């Protein structure tokens, strides 16, 4: 993944907070969901902490992945 990741916290039902990681384009416009919470957290802060941990894990995973190679025929 070469594009920035955006963390969004929503409250679809009172007292249930869900985080979503979105891949964005260079301008910050969301393009696709990278990961999302499987269940709601009781507080905004708990959802933010869980989402931040997942975002950090995604960033570490992408930094440790080998660079993508161009598929140019020689």
């Amino acid at each position: 993944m070469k594009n920035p990741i955006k963390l969004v916290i929503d409250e679809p039902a009172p007292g249930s907070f869900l985080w979503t990681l979105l891949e964005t384009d260079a301008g910050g416009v969301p393009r696709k969901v990278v990961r999302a919470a499987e269940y709601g957290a009781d507080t905004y802060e708990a959802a933010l902490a869980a989402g931040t941990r997942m975002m950090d894990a995604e960033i570490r995973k992408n930094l440790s992945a080998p660079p993508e190679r161009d598929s140019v025929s020689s």
Side-chain angles (χ1 to χ4, degrees):
M1 178 180 348
K2 296 179 182 178
N3 296 316
I5 298 174
K6 180 177 188 175
L7 171 60
V8 177
I9 309 295
D10 290 311
E11 187 181 16
S16 179
F17 297 87
L18 299 171
W19 58 266
T20 305
L21 295 181
L22 302 169
E23 180 179 320
T24 67
D25 63 16
V29 177
R31 293 175 25 155
K32 70 176 186 177
V33 174
V34 176
R35 296 185 92 165
E38 294 181 15
Y39 54 90
D42 293 337
T43 65
Y44 177 89
E45 291 79 8
L48 180 61
T52 301
R53 283 192 303 272
M54 288 307 230
M55 184 169 59
D56 289 343
E58 283 294 319
I59 291 169
R60 282 193 308 274
K61 180 176 81 173
N62 290 317
L63 288 177
S64 65
E68 294 180 18
R69 297 177 54 108
D70 291 332
S71 57
V72 177
S73 301
S74 300

